[in-house]
Each structure stands twice: as C-alpha cells, then as structure tokens.
Amino acid sequence: MKTLELFLGRESAGEELTVMNKVQLNATSIPHLQQSLLQWYTLFGRDLPWRHNQDPYKIWISEIMLQQTQVKTVIPYFHRWLIEFPTLISLANASQQQVLKAWEGLGYYARARNLHQAAQQMVRCHTGEVPPNLQSLLTLPGIGRTTAGGILSSAYNQPISILDTNVKRVLARLIALPVPVNQAIPDLWKLTDQLLSQDQPRDFNQALMDLGAMVCLPKHPSCSSCPWQSHCQAHILGKTMEIPSAKVRQTLPHKLIGVAVIRNQNGEILIDRRRQGGLLGGLWEFPGGKIEPGETVEECIHREIQEELGILVTVEDPLITIDHTYSHFWVTLYVHHCQYLSGEPQPLECDEIRWVTLEQLTDFPFPKANTRIIEALKEALTE
DNA sequence: AACGCGTGGCC
DNA sequence: TGGCCAAGCGT
C-alpha cells in the first residue's frame, strides 16, 4: 500500500536525523479526500467578492488584504479599493500617500507599501500584468509562497498549493500532528502538495480554506458536518481540541508616550510622516515620544518636540488619554494641547512635516490611535 | 530562525 | 471583557 510518509520532529544537532514521530497518510485515500471536499465546497462554499471573477489583479489585491485579516474586515476595503484603483496601472501610477490612505485602518501597512511597489514592478518588468508563474511572483514584494499559490490557483487555475493558517489547522488535525505546527512546516507543505487536486486546484484550495474558516474552527469545530470526518485522525482519536497546540503568548510590554497637538497662530496643526520601513512607516502622526523614567508628561513632550522637530512649545491642557494595543506591545498616549513658540520645524527624526488645518487632517493616512486624537480634537475645537 | 508587524471580530 | 485569533511576509 502506498503511503505518504511525513517525518516529524527530527532532531538536528549535526548528527544523523532521528525520526521521533512518523505520521502516515494512506495515499489511496487522497482521491476520496479531494472529491468529498470539492463536493462539500459546491454545496457550502462561501460567496466572496473576489470569487465573482478571475481577474488576476483583483485576486492579488484580495490575497494581500486577507493576510492575517478576517474576511469580514476585508470586504469593505476590497470594494473601496477597486473603485479608487480599478486597474493595476492605476495603482502603479498612484502616490504612496493615496495607497496608504485607502489602506488606513487595515493594519500591517507594509502590505500597502509592498502592493504599491509590486504594481510598479509589474508595469516595469511584467508587461503590466500579474505574472502567471511562481518564480516571477515570488520576486515581488509582499508575495510569499502561500499568496503566490493563492493567486496562481484562483486566477489561473494552476495546481500550486497553499499553506495558510486555515490549511495548517485542517491538515494538523487530519493527521493528528503530534508536534506544534511551526515545527512541521516542511511536512505540511508536502501534505498540502500531495492533497491538491490537479484537476480543480482553484476550487480545492478555496475549499480547504473554507473548511478551516467554517467547519474546522480553532475553538468549536463542527466535526459532524465535516466532509473529512471519517479520515480525520484528530477526530478519531478525540484530540480535536488539542490540535494544533496553542502557542504560548507572553504579556505585551507597555510604553508610556507623550503626544503633542501643536497649533500655531493661524490655528494650523503640526503633523509628521513616519519614516518608511518601521512600525506604521509612511503614515502621519502627531509628534511625541516615550516618557523617560522620572519625567512628567509635560517634560517629555517639551523635550521630544525639541529633539524631533527642533522647535520650542508650551505644553498646555491634556486633550485625551488613549490606550492602544499593537501586535507586539501596547501604549498609553497622553495627548496635550501645545502652543508653538519658536524655531523652524525640521524633520529631524521623520520623513516630512506639515502645518495643516483641522479639515485637511482627514486627507492624510493616520494610524488608528491617531484618528482617535483627531476625533477628540474636532470635538474640542468645535465646542 | 525567531521576531517585527495593526486592527477588529468574537466570546 | 481581556485575551485569543485572523487567507503571512520580510528580515
């Protein structure tokens, strides 16, 4: 009997590889797994906007937006995006600020910067099309193996597999993976490769993700309605809830930040554009910085504004205090009204600075925590 | 190879 | 309701 053998949890350390666990999937069951999943998909697959046609550009946009982001969150962004950037050319010709503004609120902003760069790269090197092959796709910023597989299977119906969070969970349960998912990535790629339907790769990949998103849920999987129930080793062994093993999360560090809403005699407000590359790169913000030990908020803001912009301000009343959680830390922003005193503002620690009116603020892309400052400011100034 | 990278939904 | 989680990629 043919079997697909997956060797998991090898020991490394220079010596000969030691097989700690061997998981086998009966190769003769693969056609049945494919057919039962595809049949389930025709009955229960989701009706999603990016499944309405096979335009590679739209498929690409959806794949990027969906990285680490729920379908429900993506849908309105996807529609707005296609109105503003209906074609690959229009995206390539847009400014980064336009692109970031359309992305505002979606998070992981490197995705938007990469999308913009990749569009320009496609125009320069790929005749203005989303390249229909794996090698070329992987050279584009923001496109890794799973996204490339998603694009090639969805847009071109090519038999390229994917391994996203949903697929990892489904496959880990299917074979009752005895180690954490992250320790078995090469094996899971082999498995998703082996399972992929060569006849219907588009539907198969979409079906696999729908199964993970609708049935094989992290917390409460509906095994009774799963087309793979009779093949699922986790279900057979009663280990569905333990697989995949949850990853340990450590508590997020906390940062205290002083933030300045600086207004000049004309009532204009000073904002700065964050440097490319790092956290929230390319987005605008109200200037400020970390409160040092033993420092008051007022002292911090006065110092930071001098260091970052080379100007003097008087720190006045508090405007708002905001707690905000990022992916790897959380902050408390102590936001104060400030009055501009002297000096010519310079972009010492940012890419650009601007004096803008209250109305103009909404033309710039801001991170979420800063849009809350803008709302508070509008309330304060219209009273 | 582990870590940096946002935000909102969900309970 | 605070914590977990989501169609990953780049470095």
Side-chain angles (χ1 to χ4, degrees):
Chain A
M1 179 181 291
K2 282 188 178 179
T3 56
L4 172 63
E5 297 190 349
L6 304 165
F7 300 97
L8 303 165
R10 293 185 180 90
E11 290 189 343
S12 50
E15 58 186 72
E16 195 72 12
L17 294 178
T18 304
V19 177
M20 294 175 64
N21 295 288
K22 185 166 76 172
V23 175
Q24 298 187 338
L25 180 72
N26 188 341
T28 60
S29 63
I30 290 178
H32 182 257
L33 289 168
Q34 293 171 340
Q35 289 312 311
S36 57
L37 180 60
L38 287 165
Q39 184 182 2
W40 173 85
Y41 181 64
T42 62
L43 293 174
F44 304 110
R46 290 175 291 184
D47 175 29
L48 300 173
W50 39 90
R51 291 179 181 170
H52 289 175
N53 61 62
Q54 294 159 213
D55 180 341
Y57 169 69
K58 296 176 185 173
I59 301 288
W60 168 47
I61 298 300
S62 73
E63 290 289 337
I64 302 299
M65 286 186 170
L66 286 162
Q67 289 171 5
Q68 301 287 278
T69 309
Q70 299 190 116
V71 166
K72 177 168 289 187
T73 304
V74 165
I75 288 175
Y77 280 90
F78 179 73
H79 289 308
R80 287 197 297 268
W81 186 277
L82 292 180
I83 292 170
E84 181 150 14
F85 310 112
T87 63
L88 197 158
I89 296 288
S90 67
L91 176 58
N93 289 337
S95 70
Q96 189 198 55
Q97 289 298 292
Q98 273 180 276
V99 173
L100 286 173
K101 186 65 189 176
W103 200 271
E104 183 182 58
L106 201 47
Y108 285 144
Y109 296 94
R111 294 184 293 172
R113 302 191 300 267
N114 288 334
L115 209 44
H116 188 221
Q117 289 190 344
Q120 297 177 340
Q121 202 169 317
M122 290 178 195
V123 168
R124 277 201 315 273
C125 312
H126 302 284
T127 68
E129 303 288 336
V130 178
N133 68 82
L134 189 58
Q135 305 287 348
S136 301
L137 280 175
L138 291 176
T139 68
L140 294 162
I143 299 182
R145 189 168 168 187
T146 286
T147 300
I151 294 170
L152 292 172
S153 60
S154 286
Y156 301 109
N157 205 26
Q158 289 184 28
I160 310 295
S161 60
I162 57 173
L163 186 63
D164 71 341
T165 307
N166 287 314
V167 178
K168 286 175 187 171
R169 183 174 57 255
V170 170
L171 299 189
R173 283 173 173 162
L174 179 65
I175 63 173
L177 186 74
V179 297
V181 161
N182 289 336
Q183 293 177 25
I185 297 302
D187 296 293
L188 291 173
W189 272 111
K190 285 182 206 165
L191 184 53
T192 186
D193 275 344
Q194 290 290 325
L195 284 170
L196 177 62
S197 163
Q198 301 296 305
D199 297 331
Q200 305 180 64
R202 171 190 296 124
D203 288 346
F204 183 87
N205 278 345
Q206 296 301 308
L208 205 45
M209 286 191 287
D210 276 12
L211 190 67
M214 301 167 71
V215 173
C216 195
L217 302 173
K219 292 289 177 59
H220 302 291
S222 326
C223 299
S224 60
S225 53
C226 179
W228 284 1
Q229 185 183 14
S230 63
H231 292 270
C232 179
Q233 293 302 309
H235 181 256
I236 292 167
L237 299 171
K239 290 183 171 179
T240 312
M241 292 302 290
E242 304 148 44
I243 299 174
S245 53
K247 49 185 163 188
V248 285
R249 292 180 190 253
Q250 48 198 13
T251 57
L252 302 178
H254 183 205
K255 299 180 183 179
L256 305 178
I257 308 290
V259 176
V261 175
I262 305 167
R263 300 175 66 218
N264 63 17
Q265 295 89 330
N266 301 326
E268 295 167 319
I269 301 151
L270 194 57
I271 59 175
D272 71 87
R273 184 159 56 87
R274 295 174 62 90
R275 287 175 170 156
Q276 300 283 324
L279 180 74
L280 307 169
L283 276 73
W284 293 78
E285 67 176 3
F286 297 95
K290 197 185 304 182
I291 300 172
E292 300 291 350
E295 195 177 41
T296 68
V297 174
E298 287 84 352
E299 289 165 347
C300 162
I301 292 176
H302 188 269
R303 172 183 57 75
E304 288 282 352
I305 296 310
Q306 199 168 4
E307 290 174 1
E308 290 185 11
L309 305 172
I311 63 173
L312 293 178
V313 298
T314 55
V315 181
E316 299 177 343
D317 293 340
L319 170 61
I320 187 174
T321 299
I322 295 173
D323 286 335
H324 187 78
T325 305
Y326 294 98
S327 50
H328 51 301
F329 66 96
W330 68 286
V331 294
T332 303
L333 305 181
Y334 299 96
V335 187
H336 279 251
H337 292 286
C338 294
Q339 189 64 41
Y340 168 75
L341 281 183
S342 63
E344 184 61 28
Q346 301 160 47
L348 300 176
E349 297 178 9
C350 61
D351 273 358
E352 189 181 351
I353 48 185
R354 290 274 275 275
W355 288 106
V356 299
T357 65
L358 188 60
E359 293 72 31
Q360 289 171 326
L361 277 177
T362 45
D363 297 338
F364 296 82
F366 283 92
K368 188 60 189 167
N370 277 253
T371 61
R372 294 173 63 188
I373 297 175
I374 294 172
E375 288 174 22
L377 187 58
K378 283 186 174 173
E379 274 188 41
L381 294 183
T382 52
E383 272 173 6

